[in-house]
Amino acid sequence: MSFIQRVRHLISLYAVEIRSFFVLAAPRAWTTDWGDHVPKDSETGDFVVFERVQKSYDGEILVVKDLNLSIGKGEFLTMLGPSGSGKTTCLMMLAGFETATHGEILLDGNPINNIPPHKRGIGMVFQNYALFPHMTVAENLAFPLEVRKIGKSDREAKVKRALDMVQMGDFGGRRPAQLSGGQQQRVALARALVFEPELVLMDEPLGALDKQLREHMQFEITNLAHDLGITTVYVTHDQTEALTMSDRVAVFDDGRIQQLAPPDVLYEEPENSFVAQFIGENNTLSGTVETIEGGACTVKLASGDIIDAKPVNVTKPGEKTLVSIRPERVEFNKDRLQAGAHTLKAEVLEFIYMGDIFRTRLRVAGREDFVVKTRNAPDQVRLKPGEQIEIGWLPEDCRALDA
Amino acid sequence: MGLPPYATTGQRIWYYAFRVICGLIFFFLIAPILIIIPLSFNAEDFFTFTPAMLSLSPEGYSMKHYEDFFTNNDWQQALWNSVTIAPMATLLSVGFGTLAAIGLSQPHVPFRRAIMAILISPMIVPLIISAAGMFFFYSRIGLQGTYWGVVLAHAALGIPFVIITVTATLVGFDRSLTRAAANLGADPVTTFFRVQMPLILPGVISGGLFAFITSFDEVVVVLFVGSAGQKTLPWQMFTGLREQISPTILAVATILVAISIVLLATIEVLRRRSERLRGMSPT
């Protein structure tokens, strides 16, 4: 082995240590150079990586428990969950406003735990926009460029481009207080993008807007993120927002990711009862597994009825289970069910006309909150309260989950 | 707010009585201040309105007391002392008071309320007690009777005003703004000067003005802590009242009232500006 080979070998052995030393000691631009010579995670497509991250504010209760998550470059990932589920804490750790109690967060292969927020170069849209009230819109946008010592003409060009991007080109001279909520939102977005970060974080940015504007902005943000090729981590408690905007959704509850999947998989194949309940509307029935073979099982409900289901996280007969069926997958037309499928007796309690769909509430197996949604088609049956019907479903639409 | 048509006789009486009471309160508050203004133009060396003044004849009035103020050595020395002590005391109050207010508004500071109470105590404790305490303390450490002794004493009196006004501005200060600044790449020092400072500036300035007025008007503490070399305007007025009863005091008082009015007007303008900036009302 020649001397140079030995040195190379040594360097590759201690690549991580050497890199983290330079990441801490050197300015960012320099470390990016280094990155080209040392293998790093981003080559596997992991731009942001959470490795066994834990967070506790008081040293006892873990707000984030053992989080492992990797986000690819250019991906739009949403952290979805009820309040207190740890999603915002994760975002704040990524932005650098909170420190992880345990574990490591990597950005483009570099550990960032010890990098202060102002050196991370991550864009962020805050929940309340956090626009500087004493500066005009243009000054707000120029701020990140000024602190980066970018020349005046270059700065003005970038500010103008960013404002045009969010259709706010004519508002550069206004103060934030003179703008509507939607306009402030756009300015906040432009400010987070103006210094061309590769990663942008959004903390419930649309929460304060009315429904129509929110839907419009959802569309605009997703388009912008994809057009610019930036990686986006988006936090929301609104599941519709999560489903319509994201490439992948991480459902948080109790400090853990309950499921990480693209929106369609999340909705159609929830892996546990929390996800099934949290995403979209769901009918749940509790019972015990009666038989289980191959990809199908039968579940005995508390009422004694037997139903068909698909085992998801039940493994053997006798286990307690919560089965979940989407309201739009319940069938009361016997012809469309498989031969020999189990059916349940149901009594119609309420019929609600909602325009595009009908929403029918049934009493099924002792529960009065069983909902069926049907499309308002010309041949659709409109059930009347008091009617006795029989309902069933395809076995794969009824998922037997943890109790 | 007028009287509604269904008002009863009792309500009508109360409505007018209320106005009369308010008028009387204003009169008692303002009359003593207003009365000194014409008196300070008295052509005679009296504290009363002369017949010539009452008949509004020009001979009854003169600027001689103002002239006296601007030419008399004692008064000029006192003015100079006030003008050198007050700004320095203000500077110290503003610096320490602002830092204290920012520090105390952090959520994780232990014993916040206790520290706050101690810092504000000079405003609550009777002045004579603070003054006596300062006298003994400053004599011990050799500050009694020095310029810096008076400046420090006045700064201690001014700090509570700054803390209170800056804390009040910080209550409305959105912490996510400093986070946003950090996120956009500004280091903590830049964040403080570019984002936090401009937004709390109205509070800092109005606190500073209060501190300035406190130092400029203060007589008790300076009597204890100062010596003849630090004789300020209020001290000179106090001795003038006891020893030579000259209407020059009235001229000085008028000047001080004018300065106070200008300063208070500045505070009000600044307050409105800050509210506008924080988007509380449209421009």
Side-chain angles (χ1 to χ4, degrees):
Chain A
M1 225 196 288
S2 76
F3 175 69
I4 292 180
Q5 277 175 322
R6 275 183 190 207
V7 171
R8 281 203 181 149
H9 180 67
L10 260 176
I11 290 179
S12 66
L13 269 180
Y14 292 102
V16 174
E17 283 80 357
I18 295 170
R19 280 182 53 72
S20 53
F21 171 75
F22 279 102
V23 163
L24 297 183
R28 232 181 117 63
W30 201 42
T31 58
T32 330
D33 268 5
W34 252 87
D36 297 332
H37 307 288
V38 185
K40 56 181 179 179
D41 290 337
S42 69
E43 279 161 26
T44 62
D46 297 333
F47 188 54
V48 178
V49 177
F50 286 83
E51 269 179 12
R52 301 184 311 277
V53 171
Q54 296 189 341
K55 173 69 185 175
S56 169
Y57 287 103
D58 55 2
E60 283 178 28
I61 302 157
L62 288 175
V63 186
V64 174
K65 299 167 185 165
D66 194 38
L67 179 81
N68 291 290
L69 173 64
S70 58
I71 304 165
K73 209 169 171 65
E75 189 177 358
F76 196 117
L77 182 118
T78 298
M79 295 179 171
L80 173 70
S83 54
S85 60
K87 58 190 193 310
T88 302
T89 307
C90 284
L91 197 76
M92 290 303 167
M93 285 194 283
L94 193 49
F97 301 129
E98 300 290 353
T99 48
T101 318
H102 282 291
E104 194 137 47
I105 302 171
L106 302 152
L107 176 62
D108 205 8
N110 307 318
I112 55 170
N113 288 27
N114 292 329
I115 299 179
H118 66 273
K119 290 192 180 144
R120 294 194 180 188
I122 298 173
M124 181 155 180
V125 180
F126 289 80
Q127 195 167 10
N128 59 355
Y129 316 138
L131 297 173
F132 304 130
H134 58 298
M135 299 185 195
T136 64
V137 167
E139 285 167 350
N140 262 284
L141 263 71
F143 183 81
L145 305 175
E146 271 171 48
V147 298
R148 284 176 173 74
K149 310 260 190 302
I150 290 174
K152 190 160 189 279
S153 56
D154 209 7
R155 212 159 65 204
E156 279 167 5
K158 280 176 195 265
V159 168
K160 192 181 174 321
R161 186 146 37 98
L163 279 180
D164 287 340
M165 197 167 66
V166 293
Q167 290 114 48
M168 291 289 292
D170 301 333
F171 294 85
R174 299 254 193 120
R175 294 274 171 121
Q178 295 168 302
L179 302 176
S180 71
Q183 290 170 329
Q184 290 185 18
Q185 217 282 323
R186 282 163 195 267
V187 174
L189 187 62
R191 191 181 63 175
L193 298 173
V194 71
F195 58 100
E196 291 157 21
E198 289 184 272
L199 173 65
V200 172
L201 314 178
M202 304 197 189
D203 185 13
E204 310 215 10
L206 305 179
L209 304 182
D210 61 63
K211 189 168 175 285
Q212 211 171 356
L213 197 55
R214 198 160 64 220
E215 282 168 5
H216 181 73
M217 286 306 292
Q218 285 171 9
F219 175 74
E220 252 181 69
I221 289 176
T222 354
N223 279 358
L224 210 53
H226 283 142
D227 289 351
L228 298 174
I230 45 176
T231 312
T232 314
V233 180
Y234 190 99
V235 161
T236 183
H237 62 264
D238 181 344
Q239 40 126 337
T240 325
E241 220 164 89
L243 293 180
T244 51
M245 297 177 80
S246 326
D247 294 326
R248 279 194 303 166
V249 181
V251 182
F252 275 71
D253 186 47
D254 194 26
R256 287 179 204 280
I257 294 182
Q258 301 292 332
Q259 189 170 359
L260 173 64
D264 53 340
V265 175
L266 205 63
Y267 185 84
E268 283 166 36
E269 295 163 26
E271 273 169 11
N272 56 45
S273 48
F274 175 80
V275 176
Q277 301 274 10
F278 194 72
I279 309 284
E281 211 178 349
N282 227 316
N283 293 306
T284 52
L285 298 167
S286 59
T288 43
V289 179
E290 191 80 349
T291 63
I292 183 163
E293 55 174 81
C297 67
T298 54
V299 173
K300 188 175 185 180
L301 301 180
S303 59
D305 296 302
I306 304 269
I307 56 169
D308 300 308
K310 180 183 176 180
V312 179
N313 41 17
V314 289
T315 48
K316 54 183 190 293
E319 259 185 276
K320 289 244 178 263
T321 181
L322 216 55
V323 296
S324 86
I325 315 112
R326 295 283 177 202
E328 67 273 17
R329 297 291 170 93
V330 178
E331 200 57 73
F332 45 78
N333 185 342
K334 264 195 168 173
D335 304 341
R336 295 208 206 124
L337 291 174
Q338 284 174 357
H342 289 96
T343 56
L344 284 178
K345 284 194 192 329
E347 184 192 343
V348 178
L349 294 174
E350 198 176 10
F351 175 85
I352 301 168
Y353 178 84
M354 294 179 75
D356 53 345
I357 56 163
F358 304 145
R359 197 183 142 90
T360 317
R361 193 161 63 85
L362 306 174
R363 177 185 291 134
V364 174
R367 298 193 60 141
E368 300 200 340
D369 55 0
F370 199 97
V371 170
V372 178
K373 281 184 191 165
T374 44
R375 202 163 59 85
N376 184 358
D379 58 343
Q380 190 59 260
V381 192
R382 298 190 184 190
L383 296 164
K384 286 182 189 59
E387 254 181 274
Q388 300 290 333
I389 56 170
E390 265 184 64
I391 57 166
W393 41 77
L394 299 176
E396 60 265 31
D397 285 335
C398 176
R399 298 171 67 83
L401 304 165
D402 53 297
Chain B
M1 193 185 79
L3 207 55
Y6 51 79
T8 61
T9 322
Q11 280 174 326
R12 270 167 214 283
I13 292 170
W14 171 242
Y15 178 80
Y16 292 108
F18 180 71
R19 257 134 231 264
V20 172
I21 293 169
C22 287
L24 284 175
I25 291 172
F26 275 117
F27 180 75
F28 277 103
L29 284 176
I30 293 180
I33 298 172
L34 289 182
I35 209 77
I36 61 160
I37 295 173
L39 273 179
S40 70
F41 294 99
N42 199 336
E44 306 290 327
D45 285 347
F46 299 134
F47 272 73
T48 50
F49 286 99
T50 56
M53 289 183 86
L54 291 174
S55 61
L56 292 177
S57 82
E59 292 91 67
Y61 294 90
S62 87
M63 297 290 286
K64 64 182 251 191
H65 304 302
Y66 289 87
E67 268 177 52
D68 183 39
F69 172 65
F70 285 109
T71 52
N72 184 313
N73 234 353
D74 282 351
W75 283 110
Q76 283 309 292
Q77 188 56 45
L79 177 64
W80 174 248
N81 284 336
S82 276
V83 164
T84 46
I85 288 169
M88 188 51 74
T90 309
L91 214 64
L92 291 181
S93 307
V94 168
F96 292 131
T98 307
L99 287 180
I102 291 172
L104 288 173
S105 65
Q106 306 290 320
H108 57 264
V109 179
F111 311 115
R112 257 159 78 194
R113 283 170 189 282
I115 296 172
M116 185 76 120
I118 291 169
L119 289 178
I120 290 188
S121 61
M123 215 162 94
I124 297 149
V125 174
L127 211 48
I128 191 85
I129 293 176
S130 303
M134 283 172 182
F135 173 76
F136 290 118
F137 178 54
Y138 285 10
S139 330
R140 206 45 87 75
I141 57 173
L143 277 172
Q144 203 276 331
T146 63
Y147 168 74
W148 286 106
V150 179
V151 165
L152 281 179
H154 279 180
L157 296 185
I159 283 175
F161 291 103
V162 180
I163 291 183
I164 286 173
T165 53
V166 176
T167 306
T169 2
L170 280 171
V171 167
F173 184 81
D174 181 1
R175 264 174 59 80
S176 67
L177 290 180
T178 48
R179 287 189 161 186
N183 177 260
L184 293 168
D187 58 61
V189 176
T190 314
T191 304
F192 178 75
F193 284 108
R194 292 287 310 275
V195 175
Q196 197 162 19
M197 197 62 190
L199 287 169
I200 62 169
L201 196 60
V204 174
I205 292 179
S206 48
L209 290 180
F210 278 119
F212 182 83
I213 293 174
T214 308
S215 168
F216 212 67
D217 291 351
E218 205 284 324
V219 66
V220 181
V221 168
V222 77
L223 272 175
F224 276 79
V225 175
S227 65
Q230 290 82 44
K231 197 177 253 191
T232 57
L233 269 188
W235 186 352
Q236 179 64 33
M237 289 167 83
F238 187 64
T239 44
L241 266 179
R242 284 195 317 182
E243 289 156 21
Q244 65 219 43
I245 310 196
S246 147
T248 307
I249 289 168
L250 299 179
V252 181
T254 309
I255 293 172
L256 290 187
V257 167
I259 291 175
S260 296
I261 288 173
V262 169
L263 290 184
L264 287 171
T266 317
I267 292 176
E268 181 60 18
V269 169
L270 282 169
R271 197 183 60 78
R272 292 195 183 182
R273 197 181 95 96
S274 105
E275 284 188 1
R276 200 183 64 223
L277 276 187
R278 285 199 253 140
M280 287 170 181
S281 59
T283 36

